[in-house]
Amino acid sequence: MTSGFPPVPHGTAAAGIDLAGRTAMVTGAGSGIGRACASALAAAGAHVHVVDVDGATARSAAEAIGGRAHVVDLARARAIEELPAELDILVNNAGIQHVAPLAEFPPDRFALMQRVMVHAPFLLIRRAMPYMSARGWGRIVNISSVHGLRASAFKAGYVTAKHALEGLSKVAAVEGAPHGVTSNCVNPGYVRTPLVERQIEAQAAAHGIDAGQVVSDVLLSRSAVKRLIEPEEVAAAVLWLCGPHTGYVTGASIPLDGGWTAA
């Protein structure tokens, strides 16, 4: 299934936004949304720390943008202490998924999802905010989801984590405001990422239908715009939040959901 979204010309996403001299860190940056965010920030002039649990993808993404790779399992709190705290921009993107009915949802998997998608962002924000506040400027962008605003069946771990991330982001916004630090969530619907591609394959097998039907009849059933979002579209919103005209935008949740939450 084609996206219907034209390729973004090189450098277009960074037009009008100069992040030269800024240091950014993006988690889950080896692929998908995280990689697109790292690329957009680097194109705007930022030095980017690329964090991913997969060493090969982390190094590949960092090499492509002239950044620095960090191979870290964000489920391990002590490993987070090894990451840089001197950041101007923090993008909390790393996430994992598991789909099961509540009564069958594995408690250890639920706990792991909270560690990666709530506890790790908390620790990273906690480390970065003093540096940002001391400099009088900072941007925290949390890649939430439409599932941070709405629920779906069989996604207790993911929906819980994203709702918690929304609350964490708002607290950071309130505490950071007097010091020039903003904190916002970006809330995409289904994005064309490896995580979603795996969901499509699993759903196709489970329902005995082809991948195109999964996208149109299952994933996009509540979306008015009937296509997957491209990672570069999410990255463009993240870059905008780091730009010169968004210092008053904080504590917000910005839906990129094709009209899902409008209905």
PDB file of all heavy atoms in Angstrom, residues 31-56:
ATOM      1  N   SER A  31      15.628   3.593  14.203  1.00  0.00           N
ATOM      2  CA  SER A  31      14.718   3.369  13.081  1.00  0.00           C
ATOM      3  C   SER A  31      13.434   4.156  13.295  1.00  0.00           C
ATOM      4  O   SER A  31      13.227   4.776  14.344  1.00  0.00           O
ATOM      5  CB  SER A  31      14.390   1.870  12.938  1.00  0.00           C
ATOM      6  OG  SER A  31      13.696   1.405  14.090  1.00  0.00           O
ATOM      7  N   GLY A  32      12.573   4.139  12.308  1.00  0.00           N
ATOM      8  CA  GLY A  32      11.245   4.701  12.429  1.00  0.00           C
ATOM      9  C   GLY A  32      11.202   6.173  12.785  1.00  0.00           C
ATOM     10  O   GLY A  32      11.972   6.994  12.276  1.00  0.00           O
ATOM     11  N   ILE A  33      10.293   6.519  13.693  1.00  0.00           N
ATOM     12  CA  ILE A  33      10.093   7.916  14.089  1.00  0.00           C
ATOM     13  C   ILE A  33      11.373   8.494  14.675  1.00  0.00           C
ATOM     14  O   ILE A  33      11.757   9.630  14.375  1.00  0.00           O
ATOM     15  CB  ILE A  33       8.956   8.022  15.116  1.00  0.00           C
ATOM     16  CG1 ILE A  33       7.623   7.624  14.492  1.00  0.00           C
ATOM     17  CG2 ILE A  33       8.860   9.446  15.675  1.00  0.00           C
ATOM     18  CD1 ILE A  33       6.490   7.498  15.511  1.00  0.00           C
ATOM     19  N   GLY A  34      12.039   7.738  15.540  1.00  0.00           N
ATOM     20  CA  GLY A  34      13.245   8.247  16.190  1.00  0.00           C
ATOM     21  C   GLY A  34      14.333   8.597  15.197  1.00  0.00           C
ATOM     22  O   GLY A  34      14.986   9.641  15.323  1.00  0.00           O
ATOM     23  N   ARG A  35      14.525   7.740  14.218  1.00  0.00           N
ATOM     24  CA  ARG A  35      15.554   8.018  13.209  1.00  0.00           C
ATOM     25  C   ARG A  35      15.193   9.260  12.396  1.00  0.00           C
ATOM     26  O   ARG A  35      16.055  10.092  12.086  1.00  0.00           O
ATOM     27  CB  ARG A  35      15.748   6.814  12.295  1.00  0.00           C
ATOM     28  CG  ARG A  35      16.905   6.972  11.319  1.00  0.00           C
ATOM     29  CD  ARG A  35      17.327   5.653  10.724  1.00  0.00           C
ATOM     30  NE  ARG A  35      18.518   5.787   9.884  1.00  0.00           N
ATOM     31  CZ  ARG A  35      19.413   4.831   9.701  1.00  0.00           C
ATOM     32  NH1 ARG A  35      19.277   3.668  10.310  1.00  0.00           N
ATOM     33  NH2 ARG A  35      20.458   5.020   8.917  1.00  0.00           N
ATOM     34  N   ALA A  36      13.923   9.386  12.045  1.00  0.00           N
ATOM     35  CA  ALA A  36      13.485  10.565  11.291  1.00  0.00           C
ATOM     36  C   ALA A  36      13.678  11.835  12.116  1.00  0.00           C
ATOM     37  O   ALA A  36      14.087  12.876  11.588  1.00  0.00           O
ATOM     38  CB  ALA A  36      12.025  10.408  10.880  1.00  0.00           C
ATOM     39  N   CYS A  37      13.401  11.767  13.424  1.00  0.00           N
ATOM     40  CA  CYS A  37      13.595  12.931  14.298  1.00  0.00           C
ATOM     41  C   CYS A  37      15.073  13.294  14.392  1.00  0.00           C
ATOM     42  O   CYS A  37      15.443  14.472  14.310  1.00  0.00           O
ATOM     43  CB  CYS A  37      13.044  12.647  15.689  1.00  0.00           C
ATOM     44  SG  CYS A  37      11.247  12.578  15.792  1.00  0.00           S
ATOM     45  N   ALA A  38      15.916  12.289  14.578  1.00  0.00           N
ATOM     46  CA  ALA A  38      17.351  12.542  14.666  1.00  0.00           C
ATOM     47  C   ALA A  38      17.863  13.194  13.387  1.00  0.00           C
ATOM     48  O   ALA A  38      18.660  14.141  13.423  1.00  0.00           O
ATOM     49  CB  ALA A  38      18.094  11.233  14.938  1.00  0.00           C
ATOM     50  N   SER A  39      17.386  12.706  12.249  1.00  0.00           N
ATOM     51  CA  SER A  39      17.803  13.254  10.965  1.00  0.00           C
ATOM     52  C   SER A  39      17.345  14.699  10.803  1.00  0.00           C
ATOM     53  O   SER A  39      18.112  15.565  10.343  1.00  0.00           O
ATOM     54  CB  SER A  39      17.236  12.387   9.837  1.00  0.00           C
ATOM     55  OG  SER A  39      17.590  12.903   8.574  1.00  0.00           O
ATOM     56  N   ALA A  40      16.105  14.991  11.184  1.00  0.00           N
ATOM     57  CA  ALA A  40      15.579  16.352  11.040  1.00  0.00           C
ATOM     58  C   ALA A  40      16.321  17.332  11.944  1.00  0.00           C
ATOM     59  O   ALA A  40      16.648  18.451  11.534  1.00  0.00           O
ATOM     60  CB  ALA A  40      14.083  16.365  11.361  1.00  0.00           C
ATOM     61  N   LEU A  41      16.594  16.926  13.177  1.00  0.00           N
ATOM     62  CA  LEU A  41      17.317  17.798  14.107  1.00  0.00           C
ATOM     63  C   LEU A  41      18.743  18.051  13.628  1.00  0.00           C
ATOM     64  O   LEU A  41      19.256  19.166  13.710  1.00  0.00           O
ATOM     65  CB  LEU A  41      17.313  17.186  15.503  1.00  0.00           C
ATOM     66  CG  LEU A  41      15.943  17.107  16.193  1.00  0.00           C
ATOM     67  CD1 LEU A  41      16.022  16.228  17.435  1.00  0.00           C
ATOM     68  CD2 LEU A  41      15.432  18.494  16.554  1.00  0.00           C
ATOM     69  N   ALA A  42      19.384  17.007  13.117  1.00  0.00           N
ATOM     70  CA  ALA A  42      20.744  17.167  12.599  1.00  0.00           C
ATOM     71  C   ALA A  42      20.764  18.067  11.381  1.00  0.00           C
ATOM     72  O   ALA A  42      21.669  18.896  11.216  1.00  0.00           O
ATOM     73  CB  ALA A  42      21.336  15.798  12.271  1.00  0.00           C
ATOM     74  N   ALA A  43      19.755  17.925  10.509  1.00  0.00           N
ATOM     75  CA  ALA A  43      19.680  18.767   9.316  1.00  0.00           C
ATOM     76  C   ALA A  43      19.519  20.239   9.679  1.00  0.00           C
ATOM     77  O   ALA A  43      19.935  21.121   8.924  1.00  0.00           O
ATOM     78  CB  ALA A  43      18.524  18.316   8.427  1.00  0.00           C
ATOM     79  N   ALA A  44      18.945  20.495  10.856  1.00  0.00           N
ATOM     80  CA  ALA A  44      18.781  21.875  11.325  1.00  0.00           C
ATOM     81  C   ALA A  44      20.016  22.373  12.069  1.00  0.00           C
ATOM     82  O   ALA A  44      20.031  23.517  12.529  1.00  0.00           O
ATOM     83  CB  ALA A  44      17.559  21.973  12.235  1.00  0.00           C
ATOM     84  N   GLY A  45      21.035  21.533  12.197  1.00  0.00           N
ATOM     85  CA  GLY A  45      22.297  21.972  12.776  1.00  0.00           C
ATOM     86  C   GLY A  45      22.625  21.446  14.148  1.00  0.00           C
ATOM     87  O   GLY A  45      23.709  21.727  14.677  1.00  0.00           O
ATOM     88  N   ALA A  46      21.730  20.677  14.757  1.00  0.00           N
ATOM     89  CA  ALA A  46      21.984  20.162  16.102  1.00  0.00           C
ATOM     90  C   ALA A  46      22.967  18.991  16.066  1.00  0.00           C
ATOM     91  O   ALA A  46      23.019  18.240  15.093  1.00  0.00           O
ATOM     92  CB  ALA A  46      20.686  19.715  16.759  1.00  0.00           C
ATOM     93  N   HIS A  47      23.738  18.862  17.144  1.00  0.00           N
ATOM     94  CA  HIS A  47      24.514  17.641  17.350  1.00  0.00           C
ATOM     95  C   HIS A  47      23.604  16.652  18.065  1.00  0.00           C
ATOM     96  O   HIS A  47      23.019  16.972  19.104  1.00  0.00           O
ATOM     97  CB  HIS A  47      25.758  17.896  18.197  1.00  0.00           C
ATOM     98  CG  HIS A  47      26.498  16.641  18.538  1.00  0.00           C
ATOM     99  ND1 HIS A  47      27.173  15.909  17.594  1.00  0.00           N
ATOM    100  CD2 HIS A  47      26.645  15.980  19.723  1.00  0.00           C
ATOM    101  CE1 HIS A  47      27.724  14.854  18.171  1.00  0.00           C
ATOM    102  NE2 HIS A  47      27.411  14.880  19.460  1.00  0.00           N
ATOM    103  N   VAL A  48      23.456  15.460  17.508  1.00  0.00           N
ATOM    104  CA  VAL A  48      22.435  14.534  17.991  1.00  0.00           C
ATOM    105  C   VAL A  48      23.054  13.271  18.589  1.00  0.00           C
ATOM    106  O   VAL A  48      23.880  12.604  17.946  1.00  0.00           O
ATOM    107  CB  VAL A  48      21.467  14.139  16.858  1.00  0.00           C
ATOM    108  CG1 VAL A  48      20.373  13.211  17.393  1.00  0.00           C
ATOM    109  CG2 VAL A  48      20.843  15.385  16.227  1.00  0.00           C
ATOM    110  N   HIS A  49      22.642  12.960  19.806  1.00  0.00           N
ATOM    111  CA  HIS A  49      22.960  11.685  20.435  1.00  0.00           C
ATOM    112  C   HIS A  49      21.860  10.697  20.065  1.00  0.00           C
ATOM    113  O   HIS A  49      20.679  10.928  20.358  1.00  0.00           O
ATOM    114  CB  HIS A  49      23.044  11.836  21.955  1.00  0.00           C
ATOM    115  CG  HIS A  49      24.196  12.679  22.409  1.00  0.00           C
ATOM    116  ND1 HIS A  49      25.477  12.186  22.522  1.00  0.00           N
ATOM    117  CD2 HIS A  49      24.251  13.986  22.770  1.00  0.00           C
ATOM    118  CE1 HIS A  49      26.281  13.140  22.943  1.00  0.00           C
ATOM    119  NE2 HIS A  49      25.560  14.248  23.096  1.00  0.00           N
ATOM    120  N   VAL A  50      22.261   9.620  19.422  1.00  0.00           N
ATOM    121  CA  VAL A  50      21.338   8.601  18.936  1.00  0.00           C
ATOM    122  C   VAL A  50      21.330   7.442  19.923  1.00  0.00           C
ATOM    123  O   VAL A  50      22.336   6.759  20.091  1.00  0.00           O
ATOM    124  CB  VAL A  50      21.762   8.115  17.535  1.00  0.00           C
ATOM    125  CG1 VAL A  50      20.900   6.943  17.083  1.00  0.00           C
ATOM    126  CG2 VAL A  50      21.689   9.260  16.522  1.00  0.00           C
ATOM    127  N   VAL A  51      20.197   7.210  20.569  1.00  0.00           N
ATOM    128  CA  VAL A  51      20.084   6.168  21.591  1.00  0.00           C
ATOM    129  C   VAL A  51      19.176   5.060  21.086  1.00  0.00           C
ATOM    130  O   VAL A  51      18.044   5.319  20.643  1.00  0.00           O
ATOM    131  CB  VAL A  51      19.516   6.744  22.906  1.00  0.00           C
ATOM    132  CG1 VAL A  51      19.370   5.642  23.956  1.00  0.00           C
ATOM    133  CG2 VAL A  51      20.394   7.870  23.421  1.00  0.00           C
ATOM    134  N   ASP A  52      19.664   3.828  21.156  1.00  0.00           N
ATOM    135  CA  ASP A  52      18.833   2.692  20.766  1.00  0.00           C
ATOM    136  C   ASP A  52      19.387   1.434  21.422  1.00  0.00           C
ATOM    137  O   ASP A  52      20.589   1.343  21.678  1.00  0.00           O
ATOM    138  CB  ASP A  52      18.803   2.521  19.244  1.00  0.00           C
ATOM    139  CG  ASP A  52      17.558   1.792  18.777  1.00  0.00           C
ATOM    140  OD1 ASP A  52      17.502   0.551  18.918  1.00  0.00           O
ATOM    141  OD2 ASP A  52      16.620   2.453  18.277  1.00  0.00           O
ATOM    142  N   VAL A  53      18.512   0.480  21.667  1.00  0.00           N
ATOM    143  CA  VAL A  53      18.942  -0.793  22.247  1.00  0.00           C
ATOM    144  C   VAL A  53      19.637  -1.665  21.208  1.00  0.00           C
ATOM    145  O   VAL A  53      20.403  -2.565  21.554  1.00  0.00           O
ATOM    146  CB  VAL A  53      17.736  -1.534  22.872  1.00  0.00           C
ATOM    147  CG1 VAL A  53      16.774  -2.041  21.792  1.00  0.00           C
ATOM    148  CG2 VAL A  53      18.191  -2.665  23.787  1.00  0.00           C
ATOM    149  N   ASP A  54      19.379  -1.392  19.941  1.00  0.00           N
ATOM    150  CA  ASP A  54      19.985  -2.144  18.839  1.00  0.00           C
ATOM    151  C   ASP A  54      21.238  -1.419  18.377  1.00  0.00           C
ATOM    152  O   ASP A  54      21.168  -0.332  17.798  1.00  0.00           O
ATOM    153  CB  ASP A  54      18.987  -2.268  17.688  1.00  0.00           C
ATOM    154  CG  ASP A  54      19.491  -3.144  16.558  1.00  0.00           C
ATOM    155  OD1 ASP A  54      20.524  -2.789  15.945  1.00  0.00           O
ATOM    156  OD2 ASP A  54      18.860  -4.182  16.281  1.00  0.00           O
ATOM    157  N   GLY A  55      22.388  -2.031  18.620  1.00  0.00           N
ATOM    158  CA  GLY A  55      23.653  -1.379  18.313  1.00  0.00           C
ATOM    159  C   GLY A  55      23.852  -1.082  16.841  1.00  0.00           C
ATOM    160  O   GLY A  55      24.336  -0.009  16.470  1.00  0.00           O
ATOM    161  N   ALA A  56      23.473  -2.023  15.985  1.00  0.00           N
ATOM    162  CA  ALA A  56      23.693  -1.844  14.549  1.00  0.00           C
ATOM    163  C   ALA A  56      22.901  -0.660  14.011  1.00  0.00           C
ATOM    164  O   ALA A  56      23.429   0.172  13.266  1.00  0.00           O
ATOM    165  CB  ALA A  56      23.325  -3.120  13.800  1.00  0.00           C
TER     166      ALA A  56
END
